């Protein structure tokens, strides 16, 4: 196989089911397919087996697991038990493993929460998104703010001491003060972690169509910039460390799984549409699974993992296997690494992956971006400046130019 | 034989039924089948048909047995139908002895009709007035007939009333041609003189010259010479149009036909030139030859710099058939490599643009049109300036002269005020007005050509609900109080955005241009000041605010490819912008100069 043998691995598991699709979501999610859940979980356990038999996986410990969606909290407890049974059977979990489950507040019951906690889930990421009923309605969310308060209390009672709340700002028609209030309410719930995302109008989503047709006012990017700057101030004052463009944590509760993406570390992707990434000598490998849940189930139903020597890391669900050159990886590393606002992109790490120094690889772009006040470059770490945080796309596009 | 030839043309405004009448005449004489389409048989270029006007003159020979029992040869010579082609029209008229003046029974007389009529009268043609479309419910046949009779100073009874479409009274037209148009009067024994009134390029036979033999005759294999151009050639083929090309052995005095010259470019064989025999030349050429001069200049750039060579090839090919088109390489700091092109007028420019896009499938950017200025320097030398970038520094200029045109606008009286207002805003001067009919007026203006080429036709049409029509002729250069309007983007002048404007308009144009550009230039990473300057002074200014936010929200489930695709798309979009200094300017901004004209009537 010859892959760089990592000592640790991340695991992303996609749960594509939702009760209702939110108006802004263009993600690989499906409403009305809940009947497929048992078969889907079976398929997931089989896909785990495909990876688990591989000596390369066996030699590493899994130290982060992330159940993302969709709405993973829609899965009933018995299905979770089956998933965890397989997880333990096919992977070596590190003793301090971080296991995150994404949840919608209205789906959380004391039983489910206690059950998940009992299975080893130690981090809960809740889609709070907004507070004002008008904002929640626009986003197509099924919950209201009191539901979030109750869900947080239930989670605490069930023993979750690492809680994330997702918030979205820059909504059509949302004034600055409403965002300030939403943030203040979120802080009163004292989560360990906060993600604040600027709304992106994704092509083909209902919200994008509404805006295009003029039924909903357009998003004001300048206002969104002000909201972001407000969040930087308010969260810093409340004791949260800003460690990634859209992420804040207190008490050392940065999300270890997501850090793997940003630090360009290896992870496996399980489930419909999931992506995996790792490196082999001189190259990066990126796998993508088939998107449709039914097809995913069908692909994993046919064959068993071979008992003997394994050829290539992957499963029958893989539809694309990309090999990344050092140049490709350089850009991806910049794309991911610059998101980390504090640690930035270390030159040492860049040399290790790409084989050249940052200053050499981006010889033209770096001085220019620095002159524009978009990046800080001290010769060892490349970071976005405060202004660069809001203009990160421009920085990346400039880095991509001439490559 | 010479007695039995009638050479005539049809003078009509666009849409007054010239093509329909021509088809009917061809059908009645059996030149084309009776069921041949009523489409414009004479127009042999696709483009002409789509535009509903004729770009190039052509000729058709008919044989007609008249009521007197004798058979006549009728040559119908077509005239270009647009104001840009005034000279070509005059040559086509010179090849005729008579003209049908066709006027729409509901529309009445138009400016263009009058301009062409004057030209026909100057060429001493016999005019046969025809009122067409008398079948239409809106026809004002008698009224229009009276108008036409008044215009010509003839009895209203002499005006034919027909419907070419319905075939009513068309026979009368043929009889009138035979009776009223005099036969050609040339000398068959004199040395050859043949007038070239049109041409086209054929890849196998070289330039095909459309000729009217005035004196003498042309035989197959004769060696001929162009009296103005100087080129000599052996006749490869000669013949007549029926309406296709039909070879013949000889073209005799008074006849109309074609000569295949084997020449490689229409520039060697220009309209208006005289053909004669090399060994027995005529002593004097036919009068009226003029070298066609481009009046309007614009730069054409490929949107993709890689198409530069293709653009050059395409312009070269168009030029084979278009003696009036000129082009020379040009480099703009903002737009890269392209060509400065010369055209007869705006309409000619549009045709070239459309052909480049359609026939040659090129993505092109055409800059705002400009005229050719004469700049008198303080040392007395005169410099020709076709683009604002060529204008010498202010302190070296003694005087700037610009081309002026005489403009005739023919309009219903009720739009008099609207037209006057427009013309005055465009620095026009009223010279004269006529009332060919009680509720119609012909206004004779003089105005700078530069004012005419930016959006004037459209403005005139919209202000008169399409009723006014217009014709113009160049009348030479006059000194003007002109100033170069520079546009500075991020403090750097952008050559492709500069304009030459009347000093009195500089402030207003500068303000409009700057505010248009402010809307068209996307926000950049820094504040971009946009300034207009005239005479070294800033006269208008606006800022494009710096971009504040452009960042992707989230990276879902480790899917970097999605994000990369978005950024790739953003990078590609950026490629379509032109970098001018540190500022990215979209193509549309270079059109802003044109749009300033559109809105100046607020």
């Amino acid at each position: 196989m010859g892959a760089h043998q990592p000592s640790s691995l991340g695991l992303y598991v996609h749960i594509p089911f939702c009760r209702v699709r939110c108006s802004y979501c263009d993600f690989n999610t499906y409403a009305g397919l809940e009947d497929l859940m048992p078969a889907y979980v079976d398929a997931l356990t089989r896909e785990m087996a495909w990876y688990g038999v591989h000596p390369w996986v066996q030699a590493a410990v899994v130290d982060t697991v992330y159940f993302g969606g969709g709405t993973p909290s829609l899965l009933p407890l018995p299905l979770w038990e089956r998933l965890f049974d397989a997880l333990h059977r096919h992977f070596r979990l590190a003793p301090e493993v971080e296991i995150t489950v994404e949840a919608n507040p209205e789906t959380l019951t004391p039983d489910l929460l206690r059950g998940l906690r009992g299975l080893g889930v130690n981090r809960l990421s809740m889609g709070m998104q907004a507070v004002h009923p008008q904002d929640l309605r626009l986003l197509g969310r099924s919950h209201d703010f009191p539901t979030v308060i109750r869900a947080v209390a239930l989670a605490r009672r069930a023993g979750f001491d690492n809680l994330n709340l997702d918030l979205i700002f820059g909504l059509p028609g949302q004034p600055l003060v409403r965002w300030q209030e939403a943030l203040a309410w979120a802080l009163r719930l004292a989560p360990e972690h906060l993600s604040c995302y600027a709304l992106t109008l994704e092509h083909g989503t209902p919200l994008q169509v509404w805006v295009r047709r003029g039924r909903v006012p357009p998003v004001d990017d300048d206002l969104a910039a002000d909201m972001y700057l407000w969040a930087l101030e308010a969260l810093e004052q409340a004791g949260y460390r800003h460690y990634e463009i859209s992420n804040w944590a207190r008490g050392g509760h940065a999300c270890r799984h997501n850090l793997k993406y940003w630090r360009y570390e290896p992870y496996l992707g399980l489930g419909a549409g999931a992506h995996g990434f790792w490196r082999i000598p001189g190259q990066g490998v990126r796998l993508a699974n088939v998107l449709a849940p039914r097809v995913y189930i069908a692909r994993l139903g046919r064959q068993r993992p071979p008992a003997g020597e394994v050829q290539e890391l992957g499963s029958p669900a893989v539809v694309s296997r990309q090999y990344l050159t050092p140049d490709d990886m350089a850009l991806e590393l910049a794309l991911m690494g610059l998101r980390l606002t504090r640690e930035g992109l270390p030159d040492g790490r860049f040399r290790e992956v790409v084989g050249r120094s940052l200053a050499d690889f981006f010889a033209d772009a770096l001085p220019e971006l620095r002159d524009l006040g978009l990046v800080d470059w001290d010769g060892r770490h490349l970071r976005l400046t405060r202004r660069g945080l809001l203009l990160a796309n421009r920085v990346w596009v400039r880095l991509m130019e001439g490559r | 034989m010479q007695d039995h030839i009638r050479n005539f043309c049809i003078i009509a405004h666009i849409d007054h039924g010239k093509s329909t009448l021509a088809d009917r005449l061809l059908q009645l004489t059996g030149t084309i089948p009776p069921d041949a389409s009523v489409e414009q048989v004479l127009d042999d270029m696709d483009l002409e048909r789509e535009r509903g006007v004729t770009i190039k003159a052509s000729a058709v020979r008919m044989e007609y047995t008249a009521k007197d029992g004798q058979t006549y040869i009728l040559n119908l010579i077509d005239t270009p139908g647009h104001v840009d082609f005034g000279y070509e029209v005059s040559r086509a008229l010179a090849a005729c002895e008579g003209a049908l003046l066709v006027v729409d029974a509901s529309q009445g007389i138009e400016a263009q009709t009058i301009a062409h009529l004057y030209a026909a009268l100057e060429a001493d043609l016999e005019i046969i007035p025809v009122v067409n479309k008398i079948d239409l419910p809106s026809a004002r046949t008698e009224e229009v007939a009276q108008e036409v009779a008044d215009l010509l100073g003839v009895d209203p009874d002499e005006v034919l009333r027909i419907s070419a479409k319905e075939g009513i009274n068309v026979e009368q037209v043929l009889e009138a041609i035979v009776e009223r148009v005099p036969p050609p009067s040339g000398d068959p024994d004199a040395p050859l003189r043949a007038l070239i009134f049109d041409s086209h390029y054929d890849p196998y036979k070289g330039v095909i010259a459309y000729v009217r033999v005035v004196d003498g005759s042309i035989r197959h294999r004769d060696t001929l010479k162009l009296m103005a151009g100087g080129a000599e050639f052996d006749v490869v083929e000669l013949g007549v149009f029926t309406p296709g090309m039909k070879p013949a052995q000889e073209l005799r005095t008074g006849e109309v036909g074609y000569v295949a010259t084997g020449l490689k470019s229409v520039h060697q064989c220009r309209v208006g030139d005289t053909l004669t025999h090399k060994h027995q030349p005529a002593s004097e050429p036919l009068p009226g030859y003029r070298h066609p001069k481009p009046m309007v200049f614009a730069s054409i750039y490929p949107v993709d710099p890689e198409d530069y060579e293709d653009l050059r090839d395409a312009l070269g090919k168009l030029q084979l058939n278009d003696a009036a088109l000129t082009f020379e390489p040009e480099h703009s700091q903002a737009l890269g490599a392209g060509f400065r092109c010369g055209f007869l007028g705006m309409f000619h420019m549009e045709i070239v643009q459309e052909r480049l896009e359609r026939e040659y499938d090129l993505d092109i950017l055409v800059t705002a049109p400009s005229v050719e200025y004469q700049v008198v320097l303080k040392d007395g030398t005169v410099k020709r300036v076709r683009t604002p970038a060529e204008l010498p520094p202010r302190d070296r200029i003694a005087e700037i002269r610009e081309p002026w045109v005489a403009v005739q606008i023919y309009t219903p009286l009720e739009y008099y005020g609207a037209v006057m207002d427009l013309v005055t805003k465009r620095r026009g001067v009223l010279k004269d007005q006529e009332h060919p009919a009680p509720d119609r007026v012909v206004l004779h203006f003089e105005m700078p050509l530069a004012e005419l080429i930016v959006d004037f036709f459209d403005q005139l049409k919209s202000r008169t609900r399409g009723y006014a029509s217009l014709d113009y002729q160049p009348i030479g250069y006059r000194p003007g109080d002109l100033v170069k309007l520079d546009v500075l983007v991020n403090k750097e002048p952008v050559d492709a955005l500069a304009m030459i404007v009347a000093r009195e308009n500089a402030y207003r144009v500068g303000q409009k241009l700057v505010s248009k550009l402010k809307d068209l230039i996307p926000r950049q990473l820094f504040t971009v000041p946009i300034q207009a300057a005239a005479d070294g002074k800033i006269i208008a200014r606006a800022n494009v605010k710096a971009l504040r936010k452009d960042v992707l929200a989230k990276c879902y489930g480790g899917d970097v490819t999605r994000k990369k695709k978005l950024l790739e798309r953003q990078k590609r979009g950026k490629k379509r912008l032109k970098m001018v200094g540190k500022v990215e300017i979209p193509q549309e901004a270079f059109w802003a100069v044109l749009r300033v004209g559109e809105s100046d009537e607020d």
Side-chain angles (χ1 to χ4, degrees):
Chain A
M1 190 57 207
H4 283 204
Q5 180 61 61
S7 55
S8 61
L9 268 177
L11 216 55
Y12 176 79
V13 185
H14 192 65
I15 309 293
F17 308 103
C18 285
R19 254 185 214 141
V20 188
R21 285 203 84 193
C22 301
S23 63
Y24 56 94
C25 178
D26 73 331
F27 217 46
N28 189 35
T29 60
Y30 304 85
L33 289 188
E34 288 89 327
D35 289 351
L36 288 181
M37 286 196 292
Y40 185 82
V41 166
D42 274 350
L44 272 178
T45 61
R46 278 196 292 277
E47 193 180 23
M48 287 180 189
W50 278 87
Y51 284 97
V53 293
H54 205 286
W56 186 82
V57 173
Q58 287 168 2
V61 292
V62 169
D63 59 355
T64 69
V65 183
Y66 194 100
F67 293 93
T71 313
S73 52
L74 279 182
L75 288 187
L77 199 53
L79 291 183
W80 281 111
E81 282 160 358
R82 264 154 73 186
L83 270 179
F84 271 84
D85 181 47
L87 193 61
H88 287 286
R89 196 154 9 105
H90 299 296
F91 299 97
R92 281 205 296 140
L93 298 189
E96 72 288 6
V97 62
E98 173 197 272
I99 303 180
T100 306
V101 168
E102 286 185 347
N104 279 2
E106 74 279 12
T107 60
L108 292 173
T109 60
D111 286 349
L112 180 66
L113 284 163
R114 269 196 302 273
L116 287 175
R117 190 71 196 89
L119 286 169
V121 177
N122 49 24
R123 188 169 181 275
L124 206 60
S125 175
M126 222 182 278
M128 168 177 165
Q129 317 306 13
V131 169
H132 200 283
Q134 200 174 321
D135 293 339
L136 287 167
R137 205 162 42 237
L138 183 72
L139 294 171
R141 302 294 296 192
S142 331
H143 67 264
D144 54 14
F145 183 59
T147 309
V148 178
I149 300 172
R150 274 193 297 275
V152 169
L154 290 177
R156 295 292 188 208
R157 229 169 288 153
F160 283 97
D161 55 6
N162 188 355
L163 203 65
N164 170 58
L165 296 177
D166 272 353
L167 292 171
I168 301 181
F169 63 90
L171 307 179
Q174 181 187 40
L176 179 62
V177 61
R178 216 146 80 203
W179 166 242
Q180 292 168 334
E181 281 167 14
L183 210 50
W185 281 109
L187 286 172
R188 286 174 69 176
L189 297 174
E192 282 67 34
H193 191 281
L194 268 163
S195 300
C196 302
Y197 301 110
L199 177 71
T200 311
L201 291 177
E202 301 288 358
H203 189 78
T205 57
L207 191 55
Q208 188 252 350
V209 173
W210 298 336
V211 171
R212 203 181 55 216
R213 298 201 179 140
R215 287 178 53 195
V216 159
V219 174
D220 180 344
D221 272 349
D222 285 345
L223 181 56
D226 288 335
M227 291 178 171
Y228 182 74
L229 294 178
W230 173 262
L232 281 179
E233 297 277 328
L235 295 180
E236 209 82 38
Q237 271 182 26
Y240 290 81
R241 250 170 90 96
H242 185 219
Y243 72 101
E244 195 265 357
I245 289 181
S246 308
N247 287 283
W248 288 258
R250 63 179 169 93
H253 283 95
C255 175
R256 279 160 44 206
H257 180 80
N258 286 339
L259 279 172
K260 283 189 190 290
Y261 302 149
W262 300 318
R263 289 179 177 154
Y264 218 49
E265 285 167 0
Y267 53 91
L268 307 179
L270 304 172
H275 285 232
F277 166 78
W278 56 87
R279 290 193 298 133
I280 58 178
Q283 279 186 321
V285 182
R286 186 177 307 289
L287 298 191
N289 275 356
V290 65
L291 287 170
R294 280 182 210 282
V295 183
Y296 172 80
I297 293 165
R299 279 187 174 227
L300 283 158
R302 287 192 203 110
Q303 18 176 345
R304 307 249 127 234
E309 184 58 30
V310 180
Q311 311 297 316
E312 260 187 319
L313 193 52
S315 84
V318 172
V319 284
S320 117
R321 182 183 290 267
Q322 250 187 304
Y323 294 94
L324 307 168
T325 65
D327 276 22
D328 294 333
M329 290 194 285
L331 292 171
E332 291 193 0
L333 196 54
L335 190 58
M336 302 313 277
L338 281 176
R339 293 195 71 99
L340 292 170
T341 51
R342 284 178 187 266
E343 60 185 71
L345 175 55
D347 191 45
R349 176 70 173 144
F350 192 84
R351 282 170 192 267
E352 182 205 326
V353 174
V354 182
R356 290 162 65 187
S357 72
L358 271 166
D360 177 35
F361 196 88
F362 296 119
D364 290 342
L366 277 197
E368 198 181 306
L369 290 167
R370 197 166 47 174
D371 289 349
L372 286 166
L374 297 176
V375 299
D376 270 335
W377 169 238
D378 60 10
R380 297 170 78 178
H381 288 83
L382 184 65
R383 294 184 187 90
L384 293 172
T385 60
R386 182 168 269 240
R387 185 163 172 252
L389 289 176
L390 275 162
L391 292 166
N393 281 3
R394 295 301 169 115
V395 173
W396 289 317
V397 167
R398 179 64 193 94
L399 292 176
M400 282 159 83
E401 274 170 355
R403 300 309 320 168
Chain B
M1 152 96 195
Q2 200 172 325
D3 289 352
H4 286 72
I5 298 175
R6 300 290 183 271
N7 295 323
F8 71 102
C9 58
I10 303 176
I11 296 170
H13 186 73
I14 302 165
D15 298 333
H16 283 200
K18 178 163 85 169
S19 307
T20 313
L21 177 57
D23 286 354
R24 281 284 177 238
L25 297 178
L26 296 177
Q27 289 166 358
L28 276 175
T29 55
T31 316
I32 60 172
D35 57 346
S37 93
V38 284
E39 298 286 277
Q40 299 138 308
V41 173
L42 289 183
D43 302 346
D44 47 17
M45 293 170 72
D46 281 357
L47 215 57
E48 295 179 25
R49 270 192 282 273
E50 281 193 13
R51 286 192 168 267
V53 292
T54 310
I55 304 161
K56 299 196 115 192
S58 53
V60 194
R61 176 179 167 125
M62 297 169 258
E63 287 187 10
Y64 173 64
T65 305
K67 286 191 177 139
D68 63 7
Q70 308 207 37
T71 301
Y72 293 83
I73 291 169
L74 309 184
N75 289 308
L76 168 56
I77 294 170
D78 197 14
T79 54
H82 195 274
V83 287
D84 286 353
F85 299 94
Y87 173 67
E88 282 73 7
V89 172
S90 79
R91 294 307 82 199
L93 297 177
C96 303
E97 280 77 35
L100 301 175
L101 174 70
V102 177
V103 178
D104 185 305
S106 48
Q107 302 289 316
I109 298 165
E110 307 266 6
Q112 209 183 323
T113 327
I114 295 183
H116 287 183
L117 173 65
Y118 288 167
L121 290 170
E122 271 171 41
D124 209 15
L125 302 193
E126 179 65 31
I127 309 292
I128 302 170
V130 177
V131 173
N132 189 23
K133 305 196 191 180
I134 59 168
D135 58 304
L136 292 184
S138 57
R140 303 178 285 124
T141 306
E142 288 316 307
E143 208 178 311
V144 171
Q146 183 66 51
E147 250 180 61
V148 173
D150 288 349
L151 189 67
L152 290 172
V154 299
D155 192 282
D157 292 344
E158 285 182 42
V159 180
L160 305 179
R161 288 123 165 114
I162 70 162
S163 165
K165 187 157 165 265
E166 299 301 319
I168 304 167
N169 297 341
V170 180
E171 193 85 24
Q172 288 179 14
V173 176
L174 288 168
E175 284 299 320
I177 291 166
V178 169
E179 281 169 25
R180 299 193 213 169
V181 175
S185 61
D187 180 354
D189 300 320
L192 169 68
R193 290 202 297 173
L195 172 69
I196 299 173
F197 60 86
D198 197 3
S199 67
H200 78 258
Y201 179 77
D202 179 298
Y204 301 105
K205 299 170 190 166
V207 175
I208 311 288
Y210 297 24
V211 299
R212 152 73 193 272
V213 181
V214 177
D215 295 316
S217 61
I218 311 174
R219 282 186 192 80
H220 192 50
R221 300 215 174 275
D222 280 356
T223 301
L224 302 185
K225 181 182 165 179
L226 285 145
M227 295 187 78
E232 296 173 2
F233 61 91
D234 292 332
V235 173
V236 180
E237 182 185 309
L238 56 81
V240 294
F241 300 99
T242 63
M245 285 161 65
K246 182 181 165 196
Q249 284 306 306
E250 190 178 15
L251 284 177
R252 281 181 288 188
T253 307
E255 284 195 289
V256 172
Y258 68 90
V259 175
T261 64
L263 295 171
K264 288 299 164 222
S265 153
V266 290
H267 296 255
Q268 294 169 280
C269 183
R270 290 178 182 275
V271 168
D273 206 342
T274 304
L275 278 179
T276 191
H277 281 114
K278 184 192 172 189
H279 299 296
Q280 202 195 343
S283 52
E284 288 289 324
L286 295 163
Y289 175 70
R290 225 169 61 202
H291 201 82
K293 257 191 80 186
M295 300 283 292
V296 171
F297 298 84
S299 300
I300 301 185
Y301 292 91
V303 168
D304 183 345
E306 303 217 328
D307 290 341
Y308 177 78
E309 292 298 329
D310 290 345
L311 176 58
R312 197 221 313 268
D313 289 350
L315 284 168
K317 281 184 191 147
L318 289 182
Q319 211 180 32
L320 285 178
N321 257 323
D322 187 342
L325 171 68
T326 64
F327 67 96
E328 53 197 41
E330 181 188 61
H331 190 88
S332 153
Q333 130 217 345
L335 301 171
F339 298 94
R340 189 69 177 169
C341 303
F343 310 94
L344 290 174
M346 285 298 284
F347 180 74
H348 185 210
M349 174 172 131
E350 274 176 45
I351 292 169
V352 170
Q353 182 183 344
E354 194 173 314
R355 292 188 64 178
L356 287 172
E357 285 170 347
R358 236 169 36 125
E359 292 173 33
Y360 295 92
D361 199 24
L362 289 165
D363 279 339
I364 53 171
L365 171 69
V366 183
T367 61
S370 146
V371 297
E372 181 176 293
Y373 296 91
Q374 290 177 349
V375 178
V376 185
L377 300 178
K378 287 196 172 139
D379 63 8
T381 54
V382 178
K383 188 176 149 68
R384 298 184 317 165
V385 169
R386 290 177 177 179
T387 147
E390 292 173 356
L391 204 66
R394 213 156 26 106
D395 53 3
R396 287 183 52 211
I397 297 174
E399 184 177 271
I400 304 178
R401 298 176 187 151
E402 61 178 328
W404 279 62
V405 286
V407 182
Q408 301 86 48
I409 295 173
Y410 189 87
T411 175
L413 206 51
E414 57 181 305
Y415 301 115
Y416 181 89
V419 173
M420 283 298 292
D421 182 54
L422 172 65
V423 172
T424 317
K425 275 189 175 149
R426 301 294 185 108
R427 294 192 284 147
V429 183
L430 180 66
K431 303 301 283 184
D432 197 359
Q433 62 189 63
E434 288 174 63
H435 294 273
D439 59 344
R440 301 256 162 166
V441 62
V442 189
L443 301 167
H444 294 266
F445 290 100
E446 290 176 357
M447 68 190 282
L449 176 61
E451 300 285 349
L452 188 72
I453 61 174
V454 178
D455 193 42
F456 188 85
F457 300 141
D458 292 342
Q459 282 292 334
L460 181 67
K461 286 288 175 195
S462 78
R463 281 165 173 249
T464 61
R465 301 179 179 201
Y467 279 113
S469 58
L470 169 145
D471 199 12
Y472 72 92
Q473 303 80 35
I475 52 170
Y477 277 78
R478 292 179 187 177
D481 191 8
L482 301 171
V483 62
K484 184 179 173 197
L485 187 68
D486 277 309
V487 175
L488 295 85
V489 175
N490 202 29
K491 308 268 167 96
E492 289 180 54
V494 180
D495 56 3
L497 291 173
M499 302 170 86
I500 294 175
V501 297
R503 190 182 304 274
E504 59 187 277
N505 294 337
Y507 181 76
R508 179 175 57 84
V509 173
Q511 292 282 348
K512 296 231 160 168
L513 191 54
V514 160
S515 89
K516 288 268 180 203
L517 287 171
K518 180 182 147 253
D519 294 339
L520 288 169
I521 295 177
R523 294 170 68 176
Q524 321 263 322
L525 291 174
F526 43 88
T527 300
V528 178
I530 299 169
Q531 297 158 301
D535 280 342
K537 284 197 292 282
I538 302 293
I539 54 172
R541 182 193 162 104
N543 282 340
V544 179
K545 281 195 294 178
L547 179 75
R548 287 188 57 202
K549 175 180 166 288
D550 182 7
V551 58
L552 294 170
K554 200 173 174 180
C555 173
Y556 298 97
D559 180 359
V560 187
T561 38
R562 249 170 91 89
K563 190 169 291 222
K564 248 171 38 182
K565 270 183 205 151
L566 279 169
L567 292 169
E568 289 285 357
R569 201 175 311 145
Q570 193 167 347
K571 185 177 144 194
R572 277 199 302 280
K574 202 175 153 179
K575 238 176 138 180
R576 283 193 294 273
L577 301 168
K578 291 276 177 187
M579 276 304 272
V580 178
K582 281 157 70 188
V583 182
E584 295 160 344
I585 304 183
Q587 308 278 1
E588 308 91 75
F590 296 100
W591 292 84
V593 187
L594 275 173
R595 299 199 190 135
V596 168
E598 279 167 27
S599 58
D600 74 350
E601 330 297 346
D602 304 348

